[in-house]
Amino acid sequence: MPVRDILRMGDPRLLQTASPVPDSAFGSSWLSELLQAMYDTMAAANGAGLAAPQIGVSSQVVVFGSGQPNPRYPSAPVIPPTVLINPVLTRIGDGEETDWEGCLSVPGLRGQVPRWQRLRYQGFDEHRQPIDRTVDGFHARVVQHECDHLQGVLYPMRMRDFTQFGFTDVLFPALTDTADD
Ligand code: NI
């Protein structure tokens, strides 16, 4: 299965705004091949999620969740495997939470990032079935992080306190599975 190279911060393609997936692309081999490449690439890197722009495809497609614990975030709640296309995020309430994030496009680093605590996300799966979920906490954080990639935003651009930014193996020496991120 094809594992793609993941673009790293500094590549201007990560700063582009992604285009919506047109109706005609649902059910196409283009979309199924893109999703397969995204899943294989995410799995190979133990990612919590991946956005199409991270493999150089400027389309509004993200995948996240695995249905099982993630070795890069061992204490995080389990998120169902999700394909989310043409997402729309709506904040619910005014709650905010700040917590650690990493990104496969920013390897080796983690930072404290403020996010909406609760949100509704809507979009479509690969079969063009509507998705409409209200989530909070880590799930809400992952959705915001991945959908930010579709707007050309990387998590360091959301940070407010750069004293809370560092190398994963320095910040968390007890974590064992940090070699590749
Ligand atoms: Ni990321």
Side-chain angles (χ1 to χ4, degrees), residues 54 102-105 145-146 149:
Q54 292 181 275
C103 179
L104 297 173
S105 293
H145 177 115
E146 297 311 328
H149 279 295

Side-chain angles (χ1 to χ4, degrees), residues 2 23 35 48 58 78 85 87 97 115 118 142 146 160 172:
D23 290 353
L35 288 168
S58 190
V78 171
I85 297 170
E97 279 180 357
R115 297 287 187 187
R118 185 172 173 83
V142 168
E146 297 311 328
R160 298 183 192 136
F172 307 108

